[in-house]
Amino acid sequence: MDYPTDRRYLASHEWHKLDGDTCTIGISKFAADELTDITYVDLPATGTEITAGQPFGEIESVKATGELTSGVPGVVTEVNEALADAPENINEDPHGAGWMIKVKVSDPSSVEALLTAEAYQAQLGG
Amino acid sequence: MIRDGRVCGEPLIFEKSVPGACAVDLGPSDVPSTDPTETVPASMLADDAPPLPELGELEVVRHYARLGSRLFSVDANFYPLGSCTMKYNPRVNEWAAGLPGFTALHPLQAEADVQGALEMLYYLRVFLAEIAGLAEVSLQPAAGAHGEMASLMIINAYHADHGGVRPNVMTTDSAHGTNPASCTICGRNAVQVKSRPDGLVDLDDLRVKVDDQTTALMITNPNTIGKFDPQITEMADILHKRGAMLYLDGANMNAILGITRPGDFGVDVMHYNTHKTFSTPHGCGGPGAGPIAVTKALAPYLPRPQVEKRGDGTYFQNHDMPKSIGKVRTFSGQIGILVRCYAYLRALGPDGLRDVSEKAVLAANYIAACLKDEPGYELPFSGPYSHEFILKPRLASGLRVLDYAKRLIDFGIHPPTMEWPIHGALMVEPTETESKATLDEFSDAMKRIAAEAAETPDKLKDAPEYAWIDRADEVAASRKPNLCWQAENAVDSNGR
């Protein structure tokens, strides 16, 4: 598939979409498909400070558990509360309704340093 | 309800309750009764008696006998669950654990009255130290993961005395999840060391990551893909040069008993899982035992008390261990489990233990050999294997490993571990206690399932066909778990 070019990616499959100084973070369709049915996400509370390269949450599926890593530093301004009751949103619409957190970033250019859709897709092997 | 001649849909015991039914007449009490309203504060008293089930004795016996007959156990079926070492639990263990000299003990009895139990604990320590090739053993930890935690606390205490505690613990990417969990619970950061494509540790990555901030490397050897890492002494050198320790997760000791000893290949501290290696029951969460073995340098930090032997041949509990990390379990640990472990060791002896590992390794390699040319499977790592190996179905037509596992239930075999440590694969561990006929039965079942996957994949997708229940909806069970039973018409505390 073609990954949206309006955002940047981490090799660990998290996407980062910048809007002003707010960065929305979720996981890629590839990651959601690999995990299969997602059953639970553990996300930080609003106001939490997150660090680039460090886990900000956890994700569980019927098959595996994994950490969610942020590519940028910032403060969590909004959490997708709907995921608590409907984690399937991540499987069904990973790049849209399956978003996880919004982060206020101090340096918006830090998002630019992450992988482009093309580079992300290339490291998936096409 | 009748289906295939079996009684199914067994109700809960609460649903079978008949008001007024009674199993046992307890007779008049020989102690005076007390009015709870006079002894318990009103705020703590319930309005009504709890709705306990009321049934006749035979109904109770039948209810549990029926449920018991549905249990899937190693007593009834083959259970090749990788890395869990589901070996048969010999009946002689139960005889030993049932001896009144153990069952009728109280942990606060005078030492002179419990010499037999202390002697058993003393020699179990000696035997486990010998098998480990290490100086000392503590029997206190109540499970493997508890042993991991106690061991990390011991290493931390040692480092505190020798240059200061260190923040990082290294684990491998094929480690049991308990390894990084134990690091975290002990306040350490888990740092992952990479594996090479052949499944062994990448020594270059280890060299780069080990420094004077490293507490230890936690490693399972043989590892969870069933390969013994021959670089283990080099790893020990890399760690020891930086003052770090080598920790062995003893989950896979069943492959090396009497063949090699962790202490001889550079391990400083390790835990055993008595329920894996030494045939104590897998207890659905307890009780268990996870004895730990350590070098002489770490011995002063072991939990206290330790059972010691006096010059006159009597035994006592030594509390005089000033550097001890303290107690990690009440009294002497789970004696009922430890006596089963002791009985197993005494029944087999040193040669018998070596025989256990040789046969466990032979059994795993035999199944691998039976399946290696089967077109429906691949063996992603080359043999020979230790006591377990990775078997990967060549998936086609929308099938998942889960479907193979569910179909295996129809053959009366417990599915092996799935999707771990290798994505899309099974981890097969037959153990030494299975006959060649059983190993053949398993290989044949796997071949037949591969044929079905190609010809009639729905057989797999619809499996299990012959189990007590159809395939459970694991997604719904995880997303919307319903864990509380309530009587119809019951009113909850919110009046709903």
Side-chain angles (χ1 to χ4, degrees), chain A residues 34 36-40 61-63 84-89 91-92, chain B residues 400-402 418-420 423-424 473-481:
Chain A
E34 282 293 297
T36 69
D37 294 300
I38 291 157
T39 54
Y40 176 71
S61 75
V62 291
K63 199 166 93 177
D85 284 330
E88 58 269 27
N89 288 354
N91 291 109
E92 287 160 10
Chain B
R400 295 197 282 156
V401 183
L402 179 75
M418 301 182 303
E419 303 278 6
W420 184 85
H423 181 62
D473 184 348
E474 54 174 348
V475 178
S478 298
R479 285 183 182 161
K480 307 259 183 293

Side-chain angles (χ1 to χ4, degrees), chain B residues 231-309:
Chain B
Q231 313 170 103
I232 190 77
T233 51
E234 277 176 82
M235 290 182 224
D237 284 344
I238 293 168
L239 292 156
H240 292 158
K241 278 188 186 135
R242 307 306 293 263
M245 303 271 174
L246 180 58
Y247 180 93
L248 183 85
D249 179 325
N252 289 345
M253 282 300 287
N254 213 45
I256 60 171
L257 296 172
I259 297 169
T260 183
R261 304 190 303 172
D264 297 343
F265 55 72
V267 166
D268 299 283
V269 49
M270 66 168 288
H271 80 260
Y272 290 103
N273 300 91
T274 64
H275 62 279
K276 297 184 182 181
T277 316
F278 301 126
S279 78
T280 67
H282 284 243
C284 299
I292 54 175
V294 300
T295 56
K296 205 169 173 187
L298 294 175
Y301 303 92
L302 283 171
R304 66 183 166 207
Q306 285 281 66
V307 178
E308 306 282 1
K309 192 176 183 177

Side-chain angles (χ1 to χ4, degrees), chain B residues 3-51:
Chain B
R3 188 176 73 175
D4 299 341
R6 297 166 300 185
V7 180
C8 60
E10 180 71 17
L12 295 175
I13 196 146
F14 290 90
E15 293 166 333
K16 300 179 86 164
S17 178
V18 176
C22 182
V24 181
D25 184 356
L26 294 173
S29 171
D30 58 359
V31 292
S33 62
T34 311
D35 182 357
T37 57
E38 286 170 14
T39 51
V40 179
S43 62
M44 293 181 172
L45 282 174
D47 296 332
D48 298 302

Side-chain angles (χ1 to χ4, degrees), chain B residues 111 114-115 118-119 121-122 125 136-140 299-310 314-327 329 331-332:
Chain B
E111 233 153 50
V114 296
Q115 284 294 304
L118 293 179
E119 182 178 353
L121 293 171
Y122 177 81
R125 257 178 58 213
E136 261 301 347
V137 163
S138 167
L139 303 173
Q140 267 190 30
Y301 303 92
L302 283 171
R304 66 183 166 207
Q306 285 281 66
V307 178
E308 306 282 1
K309 192 176 183 177
R310 293 191 187 92
T314 58
Y315 299 88
F316 71 106
Q317 306 230 48
N318 179 19
H319 291 264
D320 184 19
M321 298 173 61
K323 285 192 175 295
S324 166
I325 59 165
K327 276 179 173 296
R329 188 75 180 80
F331 303 112
S332 302

